Amino acid sequence: MITIKKYTQLFIIIFLVSAFNIKAQKIDTAFAKKPIDYMTYINLVGKNNLAYSAEKFNINIADAAIQTARIFPDPQLGFGWFDNGQRRMKMGYGFNSEVSWTLEMGGKRKARIEVARNQAQLSRLLLDDYFRNLRADATLAYLSAIQNRIVLDVESNSYLQMKKLAESDSIRFKLGVITQVDARQSKLEAGTMLNDVFSAEAEWKASLANLSLLSGKAKSDSLWYPQGDFSGFERQFSLSDLVIEAQNNRADLKAALQSKTVSQSLLKQAKADRAIDLGLSFGVNNASYVRSTIAPTPAMTTVNAGISVPLKFSNNRSGDLKAAQYGTLQAETTYKQTELQIQTEVTQAYYTYIAAQKQVNQFKSGLLTEAKAILEGKIYSYKRGQSSLLEVLNAQRTYNDVQHDYYGTLYNYAVALVELERAAGIWDINL
């Protein structure tokens, strides 16, 4: 029979245990968070991502290169002065001036402009491919933040349930219902689960910080809080159609094709550079009056014009031409490799997605519900003295494992779709 004194001790024990656990639980979920939906987040990534903004300058640099390629060779202006050096014989002095200019032959300027234009187009395609990967990586980061939040919820719920059990066991031990070993064991399990909560909390916050990095959010007073779940990732695809879509849409394949065009224009430029340029010159010479008694000469001004032709012995060395030819062959091989690589990536991503789809369907058979029912049954039996603590702990671990597997499978399913659409060059992701 439980006396009043026993009831008083029981009340004190309950109060102390509750106070201890409330103080020990310091899960920080009250930090400043700003909810953000997926489409808003992706738009911010496209506008504010600093690495992407830096890549955009390649377009401006390429456009500036086109302006540079349009430039004609600069003319040269020269001045000279001479003195015959016979001052006592009054031989006189004079000056000369000349303008010279190189006339490019063989279509050099046209070839330069063509190369610059093709490289500018290549820069645009590379920027498109950069955003294709950035969008996919940002989406994976968003999904990872959601997944880490779910993991934190799972760990927190498991801890709170075990904490309640430990509190109950502490009271039952005081009443002599269970042994001290069982009470200590349940308290130890609660402490271990709390450490798991802290670890999950750190991973969750780190993933939120990564969202700020990708979206270019400079202020550190708050973190983005992603909204959404892992529903809406079911699609029906045809592998052959995906391969065709990838070959038509992938920006890196278009860039590889454009690299072939660039290499061909570089070959044309190398051939044009071997053409002989002409040097044009026009000059004026003026000599002063020579007052010498031996050979007096009146002042005179002469005009001259000329053409110079360089002797291009360097054309006997065709290293630059061969390098351009090999560059064309290299670009052709790279294009074929990229085409094959894309086909392989799409095929691998497709089968990964199909496997993830099958795993998700497996969980629809009720594994999660069954594991939860078993745990609740074991806890109920344990409180009635019909099950051991070990059975409860095993049921708890099984339930945790099933939850992690379930949400991990949903996360992998979403990731598989992102990777498949990245590989195929298509995009219809929306959370």
Side-chain angles (χ1 to χ4, degrees):
M1 181 176 180
I2 301 176
T3 64
I4 298 176
K5 183 177 181 181
K6 283 282 188 180
Y7 273 116
T8 304
Q9 292 175 345
L10 180 61
F11 175 78
I12 294 174
I13 291 171
I14 293 174
F15 176 78
L16 291 176
V17 171
S18 300
F20 170 78
N21 283 282
I22 292 173
K23 183 178 180 181
Q25 184 182 355
K26 297 180 180 179
I27 305 171
D28 181 17
T29 58
F31 59 92
K33 302 182 290 291
K34 289 186 177 181
I36 186 171
D37 61 87
Y38 172 73
M39 295 307 298
T40 302
Y41 164 72
I42 285 296
N43 289 333
L44 287 176
V45 170
K47 292 178 181 178
N48 301 330
N49 183 269
L50 296 179
Y52 182 53
S53 298
E55 289 293 323
K56 290 180 180 178
F57 284 109
N58 290 332
I59 304 297
N60 304 102
I61 295 171
D63 290 338
I66 296 177
Q67 300 299 320
T68 302
R70 295 179 182 274
I71 297 175
F72 290 96
D74 293 323
Q76 295 181 351
L77 180 63
F79 293 96
W81 180 84
F82 63 89
D83 186 349
N84 288 325
Q86 302 291 334
R87 294 185 179 275
R88 285 181 294 179
M89 297 183 63
K90 301 179 180 180
M91 296 300 293
Y93 59 89
F95 68 87
N96 57 63
S97 61
E98 182 182 66
V99 176
S100 60
W101 181 59
T102 300
L103 178 62
E104 292 183 315
M105 306 296 290
K108 290 185 176 64
R109 180 173 176 271
K110 180 180 178 181
R112 285 199 308 270
I113 295 174
E114 183 181 353
V115 169
R117 285 176 175 170
N118 289 331
Q119 288 178 334
Q121 180 62 23
L122 177 60
S123 297
R124 288 178 172 82
L125 291 173
L126 291 175
L127 182 64
D128 290 342
D129 188 59
Y130 186 91
F131 181 71
R132 176 183 68 90
N133 287 303
L134 174 63
R135 179 179 56 190
D137 291 339
T139 302
L140 294 178
Y142 192 90
L143 293 173
S144 178
I146 295 177
Q147 167 69 358
N148 289 335
R149 184 198 69 204
I150 293 175
V151 170
L152 176 60
D153 291 341
V154 170
E155 297 294 347
S156 298
N157 292 335
S158 298
Y159 162 69
L160 292 175
Q161 191 169 35
M162 183 54 65
K163 186 182 87 147
K164 291 179 181 178
L165 186 62
E167 292 172 355
S168 175
D169 283 354
S170 178
I171 297 171
R172 295 170 70 196
F173 164 66
K174 295 296 182 180
L175 297 176
V177 178
I178 62 174
T179 64
Q180 186 179 23
V181 173
D182 286 340
R184 287 182 174 180
Q185 180 68 29
S186 58
K187 183 178 180 181
L188 178 62
E189 291 292 335
T192 302
M193 287 184 178
L194 182 59
N195 285 335
D196 293 337
V197 171
F198 291 150
S199 178
E201 178 190 6
E203 292 185 12
W204 177 52
K205 289 182 179 179
S207 62
L208 296 183
N210 192 36
L211 297 184
S212 299
L213 171 65
L214 290 169
S215 61
K217 185 176 181 293
K219 295 182 179 180
S220 59
D221 56 341
S222 63
L223 295 173
W224 292 127
Y225 186 71
Q227 307 296 298
D229 52 33
F230 295 133
S231 61
F233 287 89
E234 186 172 355
R235 305 286 191 280
Q236 297 297 327
F237 292 115
S238 168
L239 178 58
S240 58
D241 291 341
L242 287 175
V243 172
I244 294 174
E245 288 282 350
Q247 293 173 344
N248 291 334
N249 298 329
R250 280 278 291 261
D252 54 344
L253 185 60
K254 294 179 181 179
L257 181 61
Q258 183 64 21
S259 294
K260 290 173 56 179
T261 304
V262 170
S263 64
Q264 291 168 358
S265 60
L266 287 172
L267 179 59
K268 291 180 181 179
Q269 184 181 14
K271 292 179 179 179
D273 288 341
R274 296 173 66 83
I276 296 175
D277 297 332
L278 297 180
L280 305 180
S281 62
F282 177 82
V284 176
N285 299 316
N286 179 269
S288 64
Y289 174 64
V290 178
R291 301 176 182 278
S292 172
T293 57
I294 299 176
T297 306
M300 68 177 66
T301 299
T302 61
V303 178
N304 62 80
I307 298 177
S308 62
V309 180
L311 302 177
K312 295 200 71 170
F313 295 112
S314 59
N315 280 350
N316 294 328
R317 308 294 183 183
S318 57
D320 54 346
L321 184 60
K322 288 182 178 179
Q325 291 172 340
Y326 290 137
T328 303
L329 296 176
Q330 183 186 48
E332 176 67 29
T333 305
T334 301
Y335 174 78
K336 292 180 180 179
Q337 169 62 23
T338 304
E339 193 174 32
L340 180 60
Q341 180 69 28
I342 287 175
Q343 181 178 345
T344 303
E345 288 178 3
V346 172
T347 302
Q348 291 174 338
Y350 173 77
Y351 287 123
T352 300
Y353 178 74
I354 294 299
Q357 194 174 61
K358 293 178 181 178
Q359 290 174 339
V360 170
N361 292 333
Q362 177 70 14
F363 275 98
K364 292 180 180 180
S365 61
L367 291 178
L368 190 63
T369 304
E370 185 70 16
K372 183 178 181 181
I374 292 174
L375 174 61
E376 291 175 348
K378 290 295 183 182
I379 293 177
Y380 179 78
S381 299
Y382 174 69
K383 290 180 177 179
R384 295 172 61 89
Q386 298 174 354
S387 298
S388 66
L389 178 62
L390 182 59
E391 291 178 294
V392 174
L393 296 179
N394 287 335
Q396 179 71 63
R397 293 190 182 98
T398 300
Y399 180 53
N400 286 354
D401 291 341
V402 172
Q403 286 188 95
H404 283 296
D405 290 343
Y406 173 67
Y407 292 115
T409 300
L410 291 180
Y411 170 71
N412 292 334
Y413 188 36
V415 169
L417 179 62
V418 171
E419 294 295 354
L420 180 57
E421 297 204 356
R422 186 215 296 254
I426 60 178
W427 198 257
D428 65 352
I429 305 296
N430 193 4
L431 279 71

